[in-house]
Amino acid sequence: QVQLVESGGGLVQAGGSLRVSCAASGSIFSINVMGWYRQAPGKEREFVGNIRWSGGSTYYADSVKGRFTISRNNAKNTLYLEMRNLKAEDTAVYYCAASRRFGPTRPGDYDYWGQGTQVTVSS
């Protein structure tokens, strides 16, 4: 079992920055990739990006590439999503996810999910 808890969401002005965190606990040794998804009201859950827990290679959706950065602190079992130049379209609930696979490509490839944290961008 792996537990994921997001934090750091809130209200931010367009053009501003925000960092959200995901604290992981439990059988973390079984996890190979961790990622971020987001979901706006009335829309499908959207892939944001992910990172290899060992090695740190990252992959981002085109919509956030160049603005968002995913990182992790292995010693603290914590995942981060740094968001810069935020836009109104970034408003969503942001979810942390963990996968036993080395190359997850869809939501079903992730085995564990957090409860989400709300990010609201005002314009």
Side-chain angles (χ1 to χ4, degrees):
Q1 288 290 117
V2 174
Q3 295 79 44
L4 305 173
V5 180
E6 301 96 333
S7 62
L11 177 65
V12 62
Q13 189 174 351
S17 301
L18 191 69
R19 185 179 77 168
V20 294
S21 302
C22 173
S25 61
S27 302
I28 305 170
F29 59 85
S30 66
I31 301 302
N32 291 298
V33 173
M34 295 188 70
W36 290 97
Y37 276 77
R38 66 186 183 184
Q39 187 167 28
K43 297 185 178 180
E44 294 289 320
R45 188 164 296 190
E46 176 189 23
F47 174 76
V48 175
N50 61 25
I51 186 170
R52 290 274 185 90
W53 195 246
S54 179
S57 60
T58 54
Y59 177 71
Y60 300 96
D62 289 340
S63 60
V64 305
K65 194 175 299 180
R67 298 188 298 121
F68 290 11
T69 302
I70 296 173
S71 61
R72 88 287 192 216
N73 188 319
N74 299 63
K76 296 182 178 180
N77 296 324
T78 302
L79 178 73
Y80 304 98
L81 177 64
E82 299 177 32
M83 300 176 282
R84 304 179 301 278
N85 190 26
L86 282 161
K87 306 174 180 180
E89 307 93 271
D90 296 317
T91 295
V93 176
Y94 282 72
Y95 296 92
C96 173
S99 177
R100 299 178 189 273
R101 295 175 178 244
F102 287 93
T105 59
R106 56 194 297 176
D109 291 337
Y110 291 85
D111 303 283
Y112 306 98
W113 294 81
Q115 82 288 351
T117 186
Q118 176 71 48
V119 173
T120 302
V121 183
S122 63
S123 59

